Amino acid sequence: SSAAWKAILQDGSLVSPGTANTLKFDGTAPDTRTGWQSQTGVRMNTAVENPNVKGYFYNLLKDVAAKSGVTIPEICKILGIMPVATDVQGGFWVCTLTERLAFRGGYWYYGAYVGPFALALYLARTNAYAFSGFRLAFYS
């Protein structure tokens, strides 16, 4: 409910969440799971056409793309929510069920899915996870 939260339009404008045609993460195919499992296929879209039923969608970040006809603004690459190149390291996990908070860095046991650009958007605000990784940054 904070006014500080912003959504992103295809032209890179920051707008209030709920504004029409903002960018959203979406599955690349319908979610067919019946339990808390993972399913490959994440894309950027302007609508959630394939929402999560259970679990989460995942890909390597370098393989996350936009739905045909959707333009990805530079701000999405700067924020690390879309790949800047085809060799970025890290996995990408997203759940579209409810509010999720970002974890960066990946989990040490995920092998090729860890890295400086790994982004997990599938854990709820109430989760506590012993295997979380993170990356320190100094800003002055």
Side-chain angles (χ1 to χ4, degrees), residues 51-135:
N52 290 106
V53 174
K54 296 276 186 177
Y56 54 91
F57 296 113
Y58 73 96
N59 266 100
L60 288 170
L61 179 61
K62 70 180 185 68
D63 296 328
V64 177
K67 180 183 177 184
S68 179
V70 174
T71 301
I72 301 300
E74 192 66 22
I75 190 170
C76 291
K77 296 174 183 178
I78 292 168
L79 293 172
I81 60 175
M82 288 298 286
V84 295
T86 58
D87 62 349
V88 293
Q89 293 180 341
F92 188 89
W93 302 265
V94 65
C95 179
T96 62
L97 293 171
T98 59
E99 177 193 59
R100 303 299 167 169
L101 297 181
F103 287 89
R104 285 281 186 182
Y107 308 121
W108 62 269
Y109 58 86
Y110 275 13
Y113 282 82
V114 300
F117 290 97
L119 176 59
L121 290 169
Y122 70 96
L123 297 173
R125 180 183 295 269
T126 56
N127 269 60
Y129 223 61
F131 304 111
S132 298
F134 68 96
R135 176 172 54 158

Side-chain angles (χ1 to χ4, degrees), residues 6-25 44-49 67 69-73 76:
K6 297 295 179 193
I8 304 171
L9 290 171
Q10 291 181 74
D11 67 2
S13 301
L14 300 179
V15 295
S16 297
T19 301
N21 298 315
T22 56
L23 296 171
K24 298 163 180 63
F25 292 111
M44 185 70 81
N45 198 352
T46 55
V48 180
E49 297 172 354
K67 180 183 177 184
V70 174
T71 301
I72 301 300
C76 291

Side-chain angles (χ1 to χ4, degrees), residues 23-34:
L23 296 171
K24 298 163 180 63
F25 292 111
D26 187 23
T28 57
D31 185 353
T32 58
R33 297 167 291 196
T34 57

